[in-house]
Amino acid sequence: MTDRHSEDPEYSAISRRRLVKYAGVGATLAAASPLLGAGPAAADDDEDDRRTGQSGNSRHRVWRAGDHHVHSEYSGSFDTSTNPPKFIKGGDAVYPIVTNAIMAKHFGLSWVMCTDHGGPTHSKVNLEQAYPDLLRSRVLVPEVLQFWGMEFDAPALDHHTLMIPHHRDEAQQLFELESRFAKRDAFPADPGRDTEAKMVEFLKAAKDMPRKPLVIAHHASRSATGLGVYGQDTPREFRNGNNAAPEIYVGFEGAPGHQAGPLVGEARGAYGSHPTYGGFDQMTARVGGLWDSLLGEGRRWWITATSDSHVHWTRGGSDFWPGEYSKTWVLARQDYADVMDGLRNGRIWVGTGDLITSLDLTASNRGKQATMGETLTVSSRNRTDVDIEIRFRPLEGKNAGGDHPEVQRVDLIVGQITGPSASIDTDTNPTTKVVARFGPRDWRMQGKEYVIRHTLRNVESDLYARVRGTSTDEAEPLADGLESPWADLWFYSNPVFINLR
C-alpha cells in the first residue's frame, strides 16, 4: 500500500464532512492555525532525499516541535478466546489518528508519530486497519508530518518507539519488524521473544535494513522502585543495545508522557513506584546520573519529551494532547527525512509548558564552533579556552495552561568523556557538575532572544556540555508529588561534545 498524498484526486477531494466523521473530537480545530507555526508538510521520502543529495543539508533548518509517542484507537484490546484473536478498537486509547494530528497542529507541532500498542497478531491490525487511516490523516492534515511506527513491545524491556522512515514500503517494513520481533505479537505467546538476546537480534536486523528505523526507550524508569533501583530497563541493556546498533538505538524519553496525572490525583508520568523529578525521568534529571554516565563514555545518546497521549485528562484520562504540554524540538527542514536525521543525530532540545520556544547551545574555539549533537575539536597546542553561548527565546503570550511562564534560572552542566565504563551496569558520572548558574541578571536581550555567554577555561580533556532551565527556584529538580505540572516547568538541551586533540 502506498501513500498517495494529495496528488490523488480521490484523496484530495475529502470533504470537511468526512473530516468530522474520521476525526471525532477536535475536528472543529482542523482549520486552526498552529500556535507556534508549523509549516506545510513535504511529501518527500528517504529515496527522494538520496536522489537529490539533500540529506544532511542544513539549509532551511529551524526548530520544529513534535511528539514521537502518541496513541490512537488502534491501541486496543484483544479477545484471545478466538483464533486468530479478535481486535477490539479503542480498548486502551480512544482517538482516531486524524484527531491526534488535528490536535498536534492546534498545539503547534510540525511532526507527530502514531505509536500504538502491540498485542497478539497486532502487526496485521497495523497493516490492514491502522495504516490506511494514517494515509487518510496525512491528506486531511497535510501541515503535520505524520510518521508511521508503533510503541514496540521490546524484548526484555519496557516499551520503545519504533519509528519507520517515510517511504513507499513503510507499512511492510513495520509489519516485518513487528511480526518477527515484538514480544506480544506471537500467538500463542512465545517466551523466546522476551529475552535480551532477541532485543539485540531485532536491533541488528533493523541496522541491516536499507532504510534505517529509529528506536527510543519510553518511560525508562517507570518500573523503578527507587533512585538507581531500576526495573525493566537497565543501564546494561541500554549499553548492549546501543553497542549493537548505535545509529538505530539512540536514546530515551527524558520527560515521559502522562504529565497531567496530578490534575486528576495521580502520579506524574504514571510513575507510581518512584517519582519523576520536575517531570523528568530520574535517568535524565539526576546530574551525574545514568544519562551523564552514557555521555561520559562518548555515546551519542539523546533525550526526548512526549505526551504518551491515550485519553485527555478532562475526559477521564491522565494525558495532555500532543504538544499541549511537552514538546521535542528538532532542528530540521519540514520533511520526513530531515526530521528523522535530526532525531538520529541529536539536534534536539526538549521542554514543558512552552517555557521557551527556541534554544541554541554553541561551543566555539578559534573560529570553529559546534552545536547540539555536534563535536568541536580543540587543539591542545593552541589556546584551549572554549566559549559557550546559550540563546533562548521566551514564550510570547500564554501557554496552553493559560499562563505566561518565565525562566528563573539556566544551568550549564559539564562532564568529562573518559571512555567505556569499567562495568556496563554503571549509572553515574562523578565528573559531571553544574559549572555555572545564570539568573535574569546574567542574560541579555538580543532581538527576541536572551543570550548567555560563559568561557570554559583551559580545557584539558574531552568534555560534553548541556543546558537546562526552569521556571522554579529549585536548585535541583525535586521529586514530584501532586503539584500542578504547569507550575513546574523545565527545558533540557542535548549535549555538544568537545574533543581535545
Side-chain angles (χ1 to χ4, degrees), residues 180-214:
R180 288 178 59 192
F181 296 107
K183 65 186 175 188
R184 295 181 61 219
D185 197 71
F187 185 80
D190 177 6
R193 288 201 180 201
D194 196 14
T195 67
E196 186 181 353
K198 196 68 174 179
M199 180 66 176
V200 171
E201 182 186 346
F202 154 70
L203 290 169
K204 288 181 176 178
K207 181 179 68 173
D208 290 341
M209 288 180 157
R211 299 181 181 88
K212 300 186 187 308
L214 281 176

Side-chain angles (χ1 to χ4, degrees), residues 79-101:
D79 178 0
T80 56
S81 65
T82 65
N83 192 358
K86 180 182 178 182
F87 176 67
I88 304 169
K89 187 187 292 188
D92 185 28
V94 299
Y95 303 118
I97 292 173
V98 71
T99 297
N100 290 329

